[in-house]
Amino acid sequence: MLPDDDAHDALGPEMRDRCLAITRRDTLKGGTAGALALALAGAPAPAAGEPSAAAHPMPVNGERLPIRTSVNGRPVAAEIDTRTSLLDFLRERLDLTGTKKGCDHGQCGACTVHLDGQRVVSCLTLAAKAEGRAVVTIEGVSDGDTLHPMQQAFIDHDALQCGYCTPGQIMAAIACVREGHTGSRDEIREYMSGNICRCGAYVGIVAAIEDAAARMERI
Amino acid sequence: MRPFSFHRPATPDEAIALFEAIGEGARFVAGGTTLFDLMKLDIERPRHLIDVGAIRGLDGIDADGDTLRIGALATMAAVAAHPAVLRDFPVLSESLARAASPQLRNMASVGGNLLQRTRCPYFRNGVGGAYPCNKREPGSGCAAVEGLDRGQAVLGTSAACNAVSPGDWPVALVAMDALVELRGPLGQRLLPVEEFYRLPGDTPHEEFTLRPGEMIAAVVVPKVAAGRASTYHKIRDRESFSFALASAAVALDMEGGRVRRARIALGGVATKPWRAREAERLLAGMNLDVETALDAGRAAFADARPGRHNAFKPELGARVVADALLIAVERSRA
């Protein structure tokens, strides 16, 4: 079992030292890599000439389905279990963990991505339905090292506290501007209502969107 | 989640043939916002999904004839923002724009929306024996009747089920006497949206009058002048992205300051999209003011049977109807 940060002080001195040497995040990453190595060993190698196979083949214990899609401008071909959500496909197969899993039932917006330019919740999108379509995630909005104006505006306006909802907020906010729903603060609030922030950073989020909307129009 | 096969037919005929060939366990899926959600909860258990979402030509919006014809695959967002819908049927546009979130409205189709299932917490959360539910497990009982029923229906209930019909769009369609165009193994038929839904009675698991293998191809709305003097008024626990506690779809046909004909349908309070005909009759020939509007609202709830925690609903609903009527009459003067 992994020591939880909150439980850290309750551990004995020996355990505490071991915890200092390896952070929880490292432990989680190491664990994932280990599991993936096992998965890779038993999985067929992607055929030569495939545009870009999924980073991590995963064992399929349900019905298999080949899909071809595009993620952040790169073609992706993979075989999936039909039950896979677009969210899990992005996170678990392509290592694009910027998109977050909040409720997994379409109620919080943390998993918002763009599908053919439209904002959707990736948790309720079957990965199978991304066939032939273009997905853009938070990893795909910046221009190299230059942040997207909406990302910069979220920093400038302190539009987050814990940051877990932020990738979804930013993806929804970019779409909100493109849809033309930033005419007033009330309109921004209405058209951002699909994204919940439990820290309550809404004032900063609305300010960031107002600011970025003006900058995006100048681009 | 249980395993399922996934199929992508290219035409409606192919989809229907596939459904017939597969037989039991087959389901059509479009946006998937209800079906995939309920599959994760192990409430829906299809063994074969037939994805109709990529079929071309089923998402058109045709406002040129004497009806408004909306292809079943048009998204909620597209219909809500369509200029002809906004102009001729604000009630339809508002019912969609005030439902769900922008993300879900980009995904969900207006055909699939008709098949949305209840948000009753006992239906959604009771899998694995935590709570009985006659919709999930026919004959198992209902935990909502005499339970925590604040959100439950007060109209059209039975001893077996008081789950609210969750939609807004179907309520607006029922008010406008819209029809649903169905295609199936036996051909095509048109059905009033009102007749698409069943009362729970003793068989709450039978929610729709859809026949096996039938798919929704379009929604057809007769064009009437009253469509322009219409509104969808919705009261929720929070201002946005929430299901209705009470809602009303209203459209008015006025003549010389008096009501010639009112159309009123209710959401959030009944077990199916609910047409309030008694209230409509009461208004015929009347001047519409605060008093007559509230009388009509109360008439709409004359048969309401609240449970333990939702006695507020008839009065809230009556006031929602009254406010909707006053908004619509204002629009009739524009």
Side-chain angles (χ1 to χ4, degrees), chain B residues 126-195:
Chain B
V127 171
Y131 301 108
C133 171
N134 288 320
K135 276 193 192 294
R136 258 191 294 108
E137 310 276 347
S140 64
C142 174
V145 171
E146 298 292 310
L148 294 175
D149 58 4
R150 176 176 179 270
Q152 303 301 112
V154 295
L155 290 164
T157 59
S158 73
C161 182
N162 60 8
V164 166
S165 180
D168 298 299
W169 166 244
V171 174
L173 290 175
V174 161
M176 296 317 300
D177 292 321
L179 305 162
V180 59
E181 186 186 303
L182 304 169
R183 284 188 211 169
L186 302 176
Q188 188 169 311
R189 64 179 176 132
L190 273 173
L191 186 71
V193 173
E194 197 175 2
E195 293 173 23

Side-chain angles (χ1 to χ4, degrees), chain B residues 88-103:
Chain B
D88 296 336
F89 296 99
V91 64
L92 298 182
S93 174
E94 288 169 358
S95 76
L96 293 165
R98 291 174 184 171
S101 68
Q103 286 93 321

